[in-house]
Amino acid sequence: VADAARPRRRAVTLADHLARLIALEGPITVARFMGEALLHPRHGYYQGRDPFGAAGDFVTAPEISQIFGELIGLWCAELWRLMGEPAALRLVELGPGRGTLMADALRAARLVPRFRNALSIHLVEASASLRARQQAVLAGTGASWHERFAEVPPGPLVLVANEFFDALPVRQFVKQADGWHERLVDRDPAGGLRFVLARDRLPEGDLLPAMSAVAPPGSVIEVSPARSALAGEIAARLAAEGGAALLVDYGPAASGIGDSLQAVRGHRRHDVLAEPGSADLTAHVDFQALAEAARGAGARAFGPLAQGDFLRRLGIERRAAALRARASPAQACDIDAALARLTDAAAMGTLFKALAIAAPALPPPPGFDDADSPKP
Ligand SMILES: C[S@@+](CC[C@H](N)C(=O)[O-])C[C@H]1O[C@@H](n2cnc3c(N)ncnc32)[C@H](O)[C@@H]1O
């Protein structure tokens, strides 16, 4: 058959893949949908074009200002001091994006040469295309890359993760007259995908937080076993080997009710189920659940603090003033705008929060104090 006469096969998309998966296995959980949409090896969102910046889909704190990564680098250096200045320390970042935070942190770390010399850098990144980008930005730092946190070799560590946990999958449950039913993703008879509810209700148990008992019908509760498991894994490592972790993300300080699953494309909200893999997909981080998982694994948890308060405690205003002092008028305007964006309540200052997890023997990490670590 001549090529021209062959029927043309439609390119396989993530939507095709999901439709096939659902045909084989039945409706899938929201968590499975998120995992496929973000990290499918060929069609996942993070395998595609660069999602960051004005030309992409969203902007993260390290991309707004170098000060963010610099302050976190100094936070890590101070922790190293609190840990008794170990000769070897693993500096771990989960989901490094473009590698900007780590590059800025390492530049700041040069101010404390013995700290910088103690570091081995470990980056946990699931996306092959972002990993290549990070390798270019962090060339010459001796960094190594891992698919999972569990692959980071043993030893004392300081870990940072900015806007990482929001990308880990959540499950959703909806309250009906007879109890809680899991929300699933099914094929829509008209084509595309739709939400449905599992026929069987969730058996009574401890998967849902206590307030589920008093939630009115129609309520949605999100839980993320994946996030809690990872927070527990990190905490167990810190408790056993020493060190601390800083998790910065957006979401409520206390577990609550509500559907926060959102897709963002080109800086705008996008339909969660339309063209999966073409938009970022996140859900708010339940900091209470992370803190409980960390304490349950034997570490201390501090906060969360509002990002604005946390950055002010680390001295963001002084650092901005120092940069402004040697800036042109246009650059000074940019510095002020970035400072406002990172710290103002109307921007990222309140919705974004910082949670620290630390080995029990350590004093409170910089920015936090004992009052930020409630007794269980
Ligand atoms: C929203 S971006 C944040 C990037 C960066 N931390 C920043 O602040 O700019 C999420 C990052 O986490 C990575 N990622 C998402 N899910 C992951 C997973 N399950 N395992 C490893 N990396 C993951 C993405 O590829 C990306 O680098």
Side-chain angles (χ1 to χ4, degrees):
V1 181
D3 266 358
R6 265 199 201 126
R8 194 170 278 165
R9 289 176 75 197
R10 200 158 60 89
V12 174
T13 63
L14 189 66
D16 297 331
H17 161 74
L18 290 170
R20 238 180 267 150
L21 186 69
I22 294 168
L24 277 171
E25 297 185 11
I28 57 174
T29 63
V30 169
R32 179 97 190 261
F33 173 75
M34 265 183 100
E36 295 284 337
L38 291 177
L39 289 173
H40 181 276
R42 267 194 66 195
H43 306 295
Y45 173 73
Y46 279 115
Q47 313 293 2
R49 71 195 174 90
D50 181 2
F52 299 91
D57 296 317
F58 55 81
V59 180
T60 57
E63 304 296 334
I64 291 173
S65 168
Q66 67 183 73
I67 303 178
F68 187 81
E70 290 170 351
L71 291 176
I72 289 182
L74 296 176
W75 187 90
C76 297
E78 177 60 9
L79 258 166
W80 169 77
R81 200 187 60 74
L82 294 173
M83 290 167 71
E85 308 192 355
L89 179 71
R90 304 203 182 282
L91 177 57
V92 182
E93 185 179 0
L94 307 182
R98 281 176 162 175
T100 309
L101 189 160
M102 183 57 79
D104 291 337
L106 291 178
R107 196 178 51 255
R110 290 207 299 257
L111 294 171
V112 192
R114 284 193 310 115
F115 164 64
R116 178 63 189 92
N117 292 339
L119 294 179
S120 63
I121 317 295
H122 297 269
L123 300 155
V124 178
E125 176 56 70
S127 152
S129 55
L130 284 175
R131 187 185 281 218
R133 181 157 193 139
Q134 293 152 18
Q135 280 163 344
V137 171
L138 298 170
T141 62
S144 48
W145 274 261
H146 311 275
E147 286 278 327
R148 274 176 293 281
F149 170 67
E151 293 168 11
V152 175
L157 70 156
V158 174
L159 177 147
V160 299
N162 185 61
E163 287 206 48
F164 174 78
F165 277 79
D166 65 30
L168 298 186
V170 295
R171 293 172 68 178
Q172 290 190 323
F173 298 87
V174 183
K175 189 153 190 187
Q176 302 288 280
D178 65 339
W180 293 90
H181 291 249
E182 183 149 20
R183 182 178 270 172
L184 303 172
V185 177
D186 196 3
R187 291 194 299 171
D188 188 337
L193 299 168
R194 63 172 179 172
F195 286 116
V196 295
L197 291 183
R199 200 162 20 98
D200 296 334
R201 72 187 163 87
L202 187 72
E204 302 297 326
D206 57 5
L207 181 62
L208 300 186
M211 99 299 247
S212 63
V214 293
S219 302
V220 177
I221 282 188
E222 293 172 341
V223 292
S224 178
R227 294 174 182 175
S228 294
L230 181 58
E233 198 182 331
I234 293 168
R237 274 283 278 275
L238 295 170
E241 313 203 29
L246 179 67
L247 314 182
V248 183
D249 230 302
Y250 54 104
S255 304
I257 288 169
D259 174 1
S260 74
L261 186 66
Q262 63 169 24
V264 169
R265 191 164 96 175
H267 303 270
R268 285 165 194 248
R269 287 289 186 100
H270 186 72
D271 184 326
V272 166
L273 297 181
E275 301 160 84
S278 73
D280 189 25
L281 203 54
T282 62
H284 283 192
V285 169
D286 174 351
F287 284 96
Q288 182 181 340
L290 296 189
E292 282 169 3
R295 291 189 189 111
R300 283 184 81 185
F302 295 83
L305 290 180
Q307 174 172 293
D309 293 336
F310 176 66
L311 294 176
R312 277 188 285 269
R313 287 187 190 185
L314 294 190
I316 193 169
E317 278 151 348
R318 277 195 312 279
R319 177 70 184 131
L323 285 177
R324 220 184 279 117
R326 45 177 203 268
S328 68
Q331 287 169 331
C333 273
D334 289 346
I335 293 165
D336 288 340
L339 178 66
R341 203 159 162 199
L342 291 174
T343 59
D344 279 4
M348 298 170 77
T350 303
L351 176 60
F352 283 73
K353 297 180 179 68
L355 177 81
I357 302 175
L362 277 181
F368 298 88
D369 56 43
D370 281 315
D372 298 317
S373 179
K375 294 271 174 295

